[in-house]
Amino acid sequence: KTEIRQMKYSNEKAAHTIQHVNQNVLQPKEELTRDLKTLLEKQDFSDCILVCNDEKYQAHKCILASRSEALKKLLENYQYTSRNFSPVNIELNDIDSKIMPFVLNYIYTAETDNKINDKNVKEIMKVADRLELGDLRKACLAFMETRINKKTVI
């Protein structure tokens, strides 16, 4: 009986330890999201500058091109017209510079961090359409659906 109790206690302790470790370990997708967000924030190895009016945002061509067909087309055009190794400047003066940090965060992480609101949804939707970010557009539509009521429907 003593051996059985010791085995049971040992198994319970191991299960508790495994559960504790699992709670502190990031899942692969969460880890990737965290790392890409850090890459954006630290701007390490950035090779592209997005210019929105007078604001400049550093980014990475490979991430922009992989997430947005519109940005990929702009980058491909630049690639064929320039052979130097200086950062690519992409003019996006039709995009509100206040929205661009949110959009870049979305491009890098695929997360909206619940920051879509009544004040910015229209501008975010416009940028989502302009940059061909279909899932961001869907997030805007989902937000707007939550706002439909008798007072907001014509």
Side-chain angles (χ1 to χ4, degrees), residues 25-35:
V25 174
L26 291 174
Q27 297 300 318
K29 184 179 179 197
E30 293 168 336
E31 186 175 1
L32 177 62
T33 299
R34 182 202 63 206
D35 292 345

Side-chain angles (χ1 to χ4, degrees), residues 99-150:
I99 296 295
M100 201 60 199
F102 170 85
V103 172
L104 275 173
N105 183 69
Y106 177 79
I107 288 172
Y108 277 71
T109 66
E111 294 178 345
T112 63
D113 298 330
N114 295 319
K115 291 185 179 176
I116 297 174
N117 59 50
D118 293 323
K119 293 178 182 176
N120 66 16
V121 68
K122 184 177 176 182
E123 191 63 30
I124 292 172
M125 179 82 114
K126 182 176 130 183
V127 175
D129 286 340
R130 162 82 164 81
L131 299 181
E132 300 176 36
L133 299 168
D135 287 338
L136 181 56
R137 186 178 200 287
K138 289 177 189 174
C140 289
L141 290 172
F143 173 81
M144 288 189 285
E145 284 176 2
T146 67
R147 299 301 194 248
I148 294 174
N149 59 46
K150 291 178 183 179

Side-chain angles (χ1 to χ4, degrees), residues 50-110:
L50 302 177
V51 182
C52 300
N53 302 305
D54 291 332
E55 296 291 325
K56 295 181 179 182
Y57 303 95
Q58 292 186 15
H60 303 85
K61 291 186 288 189
C62 60
I63 293 174
L64 298 177
S66 69
R67 300 277 292 140
S68 164
E69 276 300 313
L71 289 171
K72 181 179 181 179
K73 289 172 190 168
L74 289 171
L75 288 165
E76 286 172 345
N77 288 339
Y78 182 85
Q79 181 179 355
Y80 294 118
T81 60
S82 177
R83 295 284 182 214
N84 63 34
F85 294 101
S86 60
V88 175
N89 282 325
I90 298 179
E91 299 280 336
L92 298 171
N93 291 320
D94 57 328
I95 294 177
D96 184 344
S97 59
K98 294 177 196 143
I99 296 295
M100 201 60 199
F102 170 85
V103 172
L104 275 173
N105 183 69
Y106 177 79
I107 288 172
Y108 277 71
T109 66

Side-chain angles (χ1 to χ4, degrees), residues 2-46:
T2 304
E3 273 184 45
I4 293 172
R5 274 192 219 136
Q6 285 176 340
M7 279 179 49
K8 184 178 178 184
Y9 174 75
S10 180
N11 287 341
E12 287 172 0
K13 187 175 178 182
H16 176 73
T17 301
I18 289 170
Q19 183 180 10
H20 179 72
V21 168
N22 284 341
Q23 289 173 346
N24 293 323
V25 174
L26 291 174
Q27 297 300 318
K29 184 179 179 197
E30 293 168 336
E31 186 175 1
L32 177 62
T33 299
R34 182 202 63 206
D35 292 345
L36 288 172
K37 191 171 196 157
T38 300
L39 184 67
L40 174 63
E41 290 168 354
K42 289 187 175 182
Q43 302 173 347
D44 292 340
F45 308 106
S46 64

